[in-house]
Amino acid sequence: MQPIQTLDEFFTRSGAEVSLYHMGRHVVACPRESLAAFERGELAWPEPWQGQARLAILFRLGDMPEPAIWFLALPLDEEGILAPAQRDAFLNRLLETLGRAVSQVGREETADVDHLMKDNPLAFTPSITFQAMLIARATYDVGLPASQHFEPVEDYLSGQQAIDWQALGLQGIADYVVRMESPDADTLALRLPDLPTAVINSVCYCLEHQPLPHALVAALQRRGEAAAQAGDIETLCACLRAVGNTDASAVGNWYSALLKETTVCGPDVLAAIAGRGWVYLEDAERLPLFLQRLAEDERTDFAAVVRDLALIPRLRLPVMMAMRDAPEGSSIQHRLSMMMSQRKA
């Protein structure tokens, strides 16, 4: 029998029940074949984050009473392909812990699975919002009920009960967003103008992980624009992030309008667009304008943002071409020169 060389092969050989989720830019299901192709070096990771492929692996191995969760941040090379050294080291440690006969793993061996995350350079801890969205998505995907925090959030956001918003749980908001149907979205759109800022922001950080109905997108844009006029950049950015995973021309138009408005388009707005609305940078006019604003603002880490965007397979070539075609003497060219000089130093 061939030795196990990838995580996907390990789970296949062990007969484990496995569910995979992206944990970088969005919490969204990751096809098993994507991991397999990525580990074979055939696929650049589709949603890289800070030079890593961030992944949640939920699995039940042997006769484990409850599924285990691994949060792994696999390092990428400059083209977004797996840099395998740390994955290989982890896999060897995994096989040594559980034994080479992974198809016959039992309860005693699986008790050691959680210990594999201790002192593991690949392990990371997602933000609490990402954790809440993962739990909400994973339980929904397997048909399990929502958490006990769901009903109070549903009552509050639907306007059915006057509940103290400070008593709402983030897990309940995540559950509500994942289970939100069209009538719920319509009601939320109507409620947005009256919701407290803290609630808006928490809801937005959950909404950013999935496509939204156009009526809700329009309501979020109105709330974001009102926040901008009031100088509330945090809420503006939360609304920008919330609509970034939705395919709607209105979102692209809003992003373009903000990029043209130099008084509003600061580092936080640029980070929101790059981090959650990056699909809208796959545009021949919007991408150069984004890079121009990024280069002009000395408060931004131009090199880090450009490297992060260039790791996204769909954006790699457009970013490189936009940088190449930047006018001589432009702020982009100036930043590029600084990057080159720092690389040579």
Side-chain angles (χ1 to χ4, degrees), residues 9 12 25 134 136 209 229 252 271 280 286 315 317 335 339:
E9 288 177 4
T12 298
R25 295 176 179 272
L134 174 65
H209 298 279
Q229 293 177 357
Y280 286 97
R286 199 174 296 122
L315 284 181
L317 184 58
R335 288 280 200 144
M339 288 173 61

Side-chain angles (χ1 to χ4, degrees), residues 25-321:
R25 295 176 179 272
H26 301 112
V27 177
V28 61
C30 173
R32 182 80 176 268
E33 179 52 35
S34 293
L35 176 63
F38 172 66
E39 290 197 272
R40 292 193 300 264
E42 300 171 359
L43 176 73
W45 194 247
E47 292 205 9
W49 183 250
Q50 297 179 349
Q52 299 170 330
R54 294 197 169 191
L55 187 67
I57 305 177
L58 287 71
F59 65 95
R60 191 190 300 269
L61 192 62
D63 54 1
M64 293 173 65
E66 298 291 337
I69 303 178
W70 287 346
F71 295 115
L72 298 179
L74 301 168
L76 306 174
D77 66 14
E78 292 185 355
E79 296 183 354
I81 302 296
L82 173 66
Q86 291 187 6
R87 187 278 315 270
D88 293 347
F90 171 68
L91 189 58
N92 287 333
R93 181 181 172 193
L94 173 62
L95 295 173
E96 289 171 1
T97 300
L98 298 184
R100 299 285 165 171
V102 295
S103 61
Q104 301 176 8
V105 170
R107 183 180 299 267
E108 292 182 3
E109 290 87 357
T110 56
D112 296 326
V113 164
D114 289 338
H115 297 300
L116 290 165
M117 291 297 102
K118 295 181 178 179
D119 302 320
N120 183 352
L122 296 180
F124 76 100
T125 302
S127 70
I128 57 172
T129 302
F130 271 59
Q131 292 184 47
M133 285 301 298
L134 174 65
I135 293 170
R137 173 57 61 190
T139 53
Y140 179 78
D141 287 347
V142 297
L144 292 177
S147 71
Q148 61 183 349
H149 306 287
F150 169 69
E151 288 189 8
V153 170
E154 183 180 39
D155 291 341
Y156 176 81
L157 292 180
S158 65
Q160 295 177 18
Q161 290 188 28
I163 298 173
D164 181 2
W165 63 266
Q166 297 183 71
L168 300 178
L170 178 60
Q171 187 60 60
I173 295 175
D175 289 329
Y176 181 85
V177 166
V178 167
R179 289 163 171 76
M180 185 172 62
E181 298 181 352
S182 294
D184 304 316
D186 292 341
T187 300
L188 179 59
L190 294 174
R191 290 270 289 153
L192 278 181
D194 302 319
L195 293 179
T197 299
V199 175
I200 285 287
N201 293 347
S202 294
V203 170
C204 283
Y205 296 149
C206 293
L207 290 174
E208 68 186 40
H209 298 279
Q210 60 191 53
L212 306 175
H214 289 190
L216 183 52
V217 168
L220 286 163
Q221 181 176 350
R222 289 192 295 269
R223 182 65 191 251
E225 290 172 345
Q229 293 177 357
D232 182 0
I233 300 301
E234 181 180 1
T235 300
L236 166 63
C237 292
C239 293
L240 286 172
R241 290 169 53 146
V243 300
N245 204 19
T246 300
D247 183 9
S249 59
V251 177
N253 294 336
W254 187 23
Y255 284 5
S256 293
L258 286 171
L259 290 171
K260 294 173 183 176
E261 181 57 65
T262 56
T263 58
V264 177
C265 187
D268 293 334
V269 168
L270 294 169
I273 294 175
R276 299 295 181 262
W278 57 268
V279 293
Y280 286 97
L281 295 179
E282 195 178 357
D283 181 274
E285 295 182 1
R286 199 174 296 122
L287 178 58
L289 181 56
F290 173 87
L291 293 173
Q292 178 185 337
R293 292 288 177 256
L294 186 71
E296 289 172 347
D297 196 321
E298 295 181 355
R299 297 168 295 178
T300 65
D301 190 338
F302 181 83
V305 175
V306 167
R307 280 195 297 266
D308 208 38
L309 289 176
L311 279 180
I312 300 172
R314 291 171 52 177
L315 284 181
R316 181 172 179 79
L317 184 58
V319 168
M320 293 175 65
M321 293 180 64

